[in-house]
Amino acid sequence: MRTQVAIIGAGPAGLMLSHLLARDGIMSIVLESRTRQAIEETIRAGVLEQGTVDLLHELKLADRMEQIGERHGGIEFRFRGRGHRIPMRDLTGGNEVMIYAQHEVIKDLVAARVQQGGEIVFGVSDVQLHDLDTDRPRVSFRRSPEAPTEFIACDFIAGCDGFHGPSRSSIPENVRTEYHKTFPMGWLGILVEAPPSSEELIYCNHDRGFALVSTRSPEVQRMYIQVDAQDDIANWPDERIWSELRSRLATEDGWAPIEGPIIQKSIVGMRSFVCSPMQYGRLFLAGDAAHIVPPTGAKGLNLAVSDARVLAAAIGEFYQDSRTDLLARYSQICLRRVWKAERFSNFMTQLLHRFPEHSAFDREIQLAELDYMTSSVHGLSTIAENYVGLPIEWGT
């Protein structure tokens, strides 16, 4: 098989990259280890930055998002039993976020790519990368564990295959530096059949730990509470979850979440990870293959999309003008935005969660920080501009 760009992974980064390349007339083949049904049914929350929303409109992939997604012009920080709204739209010149689940984005990207005749090979195994330091890299794979090995010859390989995929490990260890941080808490997330409890997302800091009220649709909502990262979901019957949500989210005016049947619940850990550089030879990493952020900052999907934008522009420049300067600066451009997203996600995590090592002094400092951030126009603006999304800084 022969193509211009071999894309490993049909997540947000890989699928968005394939669409951006196709728009510029550049051929690609996407390889995905899971089935189409599996990637479309893996339920994940999604807060889309203004730039991500704009790009979906630009690619004419926004119809379903506009039908069932929800635009939010603000978020609420809640602490000491009171809510404090952050008017993001007002503070950022009209920018906002779209609440639209990641798996819904995946459905839209896959359906459009298939309709356009794009090639996505699902259910592959034994994916390996070859000849990365040459101008003729290759990817080998099997269509099933029993199938013969096939090869894709290409000009570039995009490693969009997540933290556990083969792409990043194909970069020699002496070339890459990996940065890790594991947080001591996890998020217990639930899907509940109920109408929305709030018009906008609520981020709550409470003595008992963090809580988040999100949304997914008019009938199904998403909520989270902070738990120990090693806790077992079996220790959390439904009534215990609701008791914690009621306690943590309670306000002086008697507000309470709207309850309903819990149809899904799970605990996920929280960590940060960055790989530098994000490229080696003709291999370019994008999305979770290169970086992971804790969910507090709502940046994971958006970073994947911004990586795809930079990589597509760099590859397009190569084919259109035989230039390689943007390709050479791919890591530099992406990592500048990645580290700012890591900073914001770490800031939000530190600001809103209780940590085991917190002393009474640390607790009061945390509350004072919340008080300052929500009472200062500069504090409010800092949160707003980061939450709606910082621009890509292309540099020179």
Side-chain angles (χ1 to χ4, degrees), residues 256-331:
I258 299 175
E259 301 181 24
I262 295 176
I263 56 177
Q264 184 192 78
K265 56 184 174 181
S266 61
I267 296 175
V268 296
M270 298 178 65
R271 62 194 177 111
S272 293
F273 165 78
V274 178
C275 175
S276 177
M278 292 170 55
Q279 62 193 97
Y280 172 72
R282 289 295 182 94
L283 168 65
F284 297 84
L285 304 180
D288 286 359
H291 42 73
I292 293 172
V293 290
T296 329
K299 295 299 165 201
L301 181 152
N302 298 290
L303 283 178
V305 170
S306 65
D307 290 347
R309 287 187 64 189
V310 177
L311 185 53
I315 292 174
E317 185 181 81
F318 172 85
Y319 285 117
Q320 293 163 16
D321 302 316
S322 300
R323 293 178 56 182
T324 60
D325 50 306
L326 196 53
L327 282 169
R329 293 189 297 112
Y330 171 73
S331 286

Side-chain angles (χ1 to χ4, degrees), residues 151-169:
F151 286 86
I152 300 176
C154 54
D155 298 324
F156 301 99
I157 300 174
C160 310
D161 47 351
F163 183 80
H164 298 289
S167 295
R168 187 180 68 261
S169 60

Side-chain angles (χ1 to χ4, degrees), residues 1-9 14 18 21 26-32 113 118-121 139 141 143 151-154 156 158:
M1 303 171 69
R2 169 71 189 169
T3 192
Q4 290 170 294
V5 183
I7 301 173
I8 305 173
S18 68
L21 294 174
I26 299 169
M27 297 182 297
S28 68
I29 297 174
V30 181
L31 301 179
E32 170 55 51
R113 197 73 198 98
E119 188 164 4
I120 307 175
V121 186
V139 178
F141 69 99
R143 293 181 185 264
F151 286 86
I152 300 176
C154 54
F156 301 99

Side-chain angles (χ1 to χ4, degrees), residues 15-35:
L15 292 169
M16 183 60 75
L17 178 61
S18 68
H19 277 282
L20 290 167
L21 294 174
R23 182 181 63 175
D24 292 337
I26 299 169
M27 297 182 297
S28 68
I29 297 174
V30 181
L31 301 179
E32 170 55 51
S33 61
R34 296 169 296 169
T35 65

Side-chain angles (χ1 to χ4, degrees), residues 254-392:
W255 186 97
I258 299 175
E259 301 181 24
I262 295 176
I263 56 177
Q264 184 192 78
K265 56 184 174 181
S266 61
I267 296 175
V268 296
M270 298 178 65
R271 62 194 177 111
S272 293
F273 165 78
V274 178
C275 175
S276 177
M278 292 170 55
Q279 62 193 97
Y280 172 72
R282 289 295 182 94
L283 168 65
F284 297 84
L285 304 180
D288 286 359
H291 42 73
I292 293 172
V293 290
T296 329
K299 295 299 165 201
L301 181 152
N302 298 290
L303 283 178
V305 170
S306 65
D307 290 347
R309 287 187 64 189
V310 177
L311 185 53
I315 292 174
E317 185 181 81
F318 172 85
Y319 285 117
Q320 293 163 16
D321 302 316
S322 300
R323 293 178 56 182
T324 60
D325 50 306
L326 196 53
L327 282 169
R329 293 189 297 112
Y330 171 73
S331 286
Q332 173 190 346
I333 294 169
C334 290
L335 285 172
R336 188 173 185 185
R337 193 170 194 271
V338 166
W339 278 114
K340 287 182 179 179
E342 293 281 1
R343 183 209 67 81
F344 179 65
S345 299
N346 185 73
F347 163 77
M348 291 278 281
T349 302
Q350 299 283 345
L351 184 67
L352 294 164
H353 292 76
R354 297 302 310 276
F355 284 74
E357 67 272 17
H358 272 178
S359 65
F361 178 87
D362 295 327
R363 176 62 176 152
E364 291 302 321
I365 290 294
Q366 187 183 53
L367 291 170
E369 178 78 356
L370 278 163
D371 190 12
Y372 169 73
M373 297 302 296
T374 54
S375 60
S376 159
V377 66
H378 300 293
L380 292 168
S381 297
T382 293
I383 295 170
E385 69 176 4
N386 279 274
Y387 200 87
V388 302
L390 298 175
I392 297 172

Side-chain angles (χ1 to χ4, degrees), residues 41 43-44 188-192 222 261-266:
E41 293 182 355
I43 297 176
R44 293 185 178 179
L188 190 162
I190 64 170
L191 279 178
V192 54
R222 194 81 160 158
I262 295 176
I263 56 177
Q264 184 192 78
K265 56 184 174 181
S266 61

Side-chain angles (χ1 to χ4, degrees), residues 213-266:
V213 177
S214 184
T215 187
R216 182 173 159 211
S217 72
E219 301 83 21
V220 178
Q221 313 310 316
R222 194 81 160 158
M223 300 184 191
Y224 300 90
I225 55 174
Q226 172 187 343
V227 298
D228 186 277
Q230 305 304 317
D231 210 339
D232 189 334
I233 195 65
N235 296 329
W236 288 89
D238 292 3
E239 181 48 43
R240 184 186 178 193
I241 295 172
W242 284 119
S243 176
E244 284 296 321
L245 283 166
R246 288 191 295 267
S247 296
R248 299 184 193 191
L249 293 164
T251 59
E252 296 170 350
D253 61 4
W255 186 97
I258 299 175
E259 301 181 24
I262 295 176
I263 56 177
Q264 184 192 78
K265 56 184 174 181
S266 61

